[in-house]
Amino acid sequence: MISFNVPPFVGTELTYVKQAIDAHKICGDGQFTKKCHAWLEERFGAQKVLLTTSGTTALEMAALLCGLHKGDEVILPSFTFSSTATAIVLTGATPVFVDVRPDTMNIDEKKIEAAITDRTRAIMVVHYAGVACEMDTIMAIAARHGLKVIEDAAQGVMSSYKGKALGTIGDFGCYSFHETKNYSMGEGGALVIRNPEDNDAAEILREKGTNRARFFRGQVDKYTWVDYGSSYLPSDMNAAYLWAQLQEADRINEDRLAVWDRYREAFAPLAAAGRVEVPFIPAECVHNAHMYYLKLRDLSDRTEFIDYLKERGIVAVFHYIPLHSAPAGLKFGRFHGEDRFTTSESDRLVRLPLYYGLTKEDQETVIRTAMEYFESHE
């Protein structure tokens, strides 16, 4: 069986986890959490990074730090995971979905401005498959209308737009280190903060509403409850696991890119013949090979393809059911404009196995089996 995903493991994770245990500091903000913060800030040129318990809670923190509340609206794509919208809903604000671009499956920057009302407070972009949205245009729109920008860069660690790391362009960026991501701590994420004036509020929010971080820096002589907050700190054991992978970040990235490039080469003739569509990477984007997908003719073709691979021991999967058509989407949000591409494109998209350590033999098996399908389903 060739799995769709195998969580990354580089070999030093257990050593670092043991070090965290031996230090008798396994709760949040221990030595490995601090190491990860420093690495992420330096590598990505980020003003401040805080590890969180998940990409979801990073998004929740970003929404709260934007000051969203009941009656506000946030513009976002419908082609995304539920966490993107749930973070908005938890503040009482309304998700306003707009259509995606069919080439990148990212939010269509040309559809955003028409969706803005006097209640709009933020734009939440999703960098699908680690490929950047058209951020110059989006940031210009936000500036014209006085809106915050949140980057859901859950899939975008090690990707960039015009030389800037994804997650560092908007007011807040959110990473995921879930087991399905390029770098993992099992469950975990990170919040990236662009503006220094948001640092204290973020630390208080993350530390259960207390000014504990200021206390440990010696800025106050005791710490106390000062505002709303929750416990968004991951265990230092999880951070130790992640630290091992950050030390090998380039090796992991190169390995994944090699698989992605092999798929691109193999399926180029099918794409040229119009049988499938393959990922498009805009010139200003550097991607991280988070996923390789194919777009088939329609839902029926995709279903047959997935079943064909499964019968031959290969797991390939579709992606999101558009949020605006989901029960919660109908309850909490609304779609602005025409759903020209979101649903039809999501019905066609299938993701192939891609993970750190996928052997060349298994890559060739996936390619060969997929090609056999297309040869028999002209």
Side-chain angles (χ1 to χ4, degrees):
M1 173 69 72
I2 300 176
S3 300
F4 168 71
N5 176 69
V6 174
F9 184 82
V10 299
T12 53
E13 287 87 348
L14 297 180
T15 299
Y16 292 134
V17 170
K18 185 177 185 302
Q19 287 179 19
I21 295 169
D22 290 344
H24 306 295
K25 176 65 175 177
I26 62 172
C27 65
D29 281 344
Q31 62 172 317
F32 289 104
T33 302
K34 292 172 183 175
K35 287 176 183 287
C36 290
H37 287 169
W39 190 96
L40 292 164
E41 288 168 2
E42 180 179 357
R43 182 62 184 260
F44 301 143
Q47 185 274 137
K48 190 173 186 64
V49 176
L50 296 171
L51 288 190
T52 61
T53 49
S54 66
T56 301
T57 53
L59 287 163
E60 291 173 9
M61 287 184 67
L64 290 165
L65 290 165
C66 284
L68 300 178
H69 55 74
K70 187 175 177 61
D72 291 341
E73 295 178 351
V74 178
I75 297 169
L76 72 161
S78 176
F79 186 70
T80 182
F81 190 58
S82 60
S83 297
T84 316
T86 296
I88 298 166
V89 172
L90 287 175
T91 68
T94 299
V96 177
F97 304 109
V98 297
D99 209 5
V100 295
R101 293 170 42 162
D103 57 353
T104 61
M105 299 302 290
N106 286 332
I107 190 169
D108 188 337
E109 66 278 4
K110 297 182 179 67
K111 303 292 178 62
I112 292 174
E113 204 146 21
I116 294 173
T117 71
D118 59 3
R119 296 181 298 278
T120 306
R121 298 292 176 265
I123 303 167
M124 188 177 285
V125 302
V126 179
H127 302 300
Y128 184 69
V131 177
C133 298
E134 177 41 58
M135 292 305 294
D136 281 355
T137 301
I138 292 167
M139 295 302 293
I141 292 170
R144 282 198 298 274
H145 295 273
L147 306 177
K148 296 287 189 179
V149 175
I150 300 171
E151 292 180 76
D152 182 341
Q155 301 173 5
V157 178
M158 296 287 281
S159 294
S160 63
Y161 171 83
K162 295 187 176 180
K164 296 179 180 178
L166 300 193
T168 68
I169 303 167
D171 295 278
F172 300 100
C174 304
Y175 296 145
S176 173
F177 298 115
H178 186 263
E179 71 165 37
T180 57
K181 300 304 187 291
N182 296 26
Y183 310 93
S184 177
M185 52 198 289
E187 292 279 359
L191 177 70
V192 183
I193 304 166
R194 187 182 68 184
N195 301 308
E197 56 265 31
D198 291 320
N199 290 353
D200 282 350
E203 290 178 338
I204 289 167
L205 178 61
R206 180 172 172 267
E207 273 278 21
K208 311 160 189 75
T210 72
N211 57 353
R212 184 170 180 266
R214 290 175 60 83
F215 170 73
F216 280 111
R217 286 195 296 268
Q219 294 171 297
V220 293
D221 59 2
K222 58 185 176 181
Y223 73 88
T224 187
W225 182 28
V226 295
D227 206 337
Y228 169 80
S230 189
S231 184
Y232 291 121
L233 289 75
S235 162
D236 211 50
M237 291 189 293
N238 293 71
Y241 195 100
L242 177 62
W243 176 244
Q245 296 180 19
L246 294 183
Q247 298 306 286
E248 300 292 343
D250 290 314
R251 179 156 63 95
I252 293 171
N253 196 48
E254 290 164 7
D255 181 88
R256 296 184 67 106
L257 285 166
V259 179
W260 195 96
D261 287 341
R262 177 67 187 104
Y263 282 152
R264 178 185 59 180
E265 175 187 42
F267 296 112
L270 283 177
R275 180 61 180 86
V276 298
E277 290 181 28
V278 296
F280 168 70
I281 312 297
E284 63 271 19
C285 301
V286 174
H287 74 102
N288 61 356
H290 176 66
M291 73 173 76
Y292 192 92
Y293 61 80
L294 299 173
K295 288 184 183 177
L296 279 69
R297 286 172 175 155
D298 51 30
L299 178 60
S300 175
D301 191 22
R302 184 185 72 178
T303 301
E304 285 189 52
F305 180 70
I306 291 174
D307 289 345
Y308 185 92
L309 295 186
K310 183 178 180 181
E311 290 167 2
R312 289 153 182 81
I314 300 169
V315 180
V317 299
F318 60 84
H319 221 169
Y320 314 118
I321 303 298
L323 295 185
H324 73 279
S325 60
L330 295 169
K331 179 179 180 181
F332 295 117
R334 60 183 175 83
F335 195 98
H336 181 275
E338 179 187 0
D339 172 11
R340 185 178 176 189
F341 296 114
T342 299
T343 299
S344 61
E345 295 300 298
S346 68
D347 281 346
R348 302 168 55 210
L349 190 147
V350 59
R351 298 178 292 161
L352 300 180
L354 200 168
Y355 51 85
Y356 172 65
L358 179 64
T359 67
K360 290 185 178 180
E361 180 183 359
D362 284 349
Q363 294 170 40
E364 296 307 318
T365 299
V366 172
I367 292 166
R368 183 180 65 254
T369 307
M371 296 301 286
E372 289 170 356
Y373 172 85
F374 293 117
E375 289 167 4
S376 61
H377 292 73
E378 293 293 341

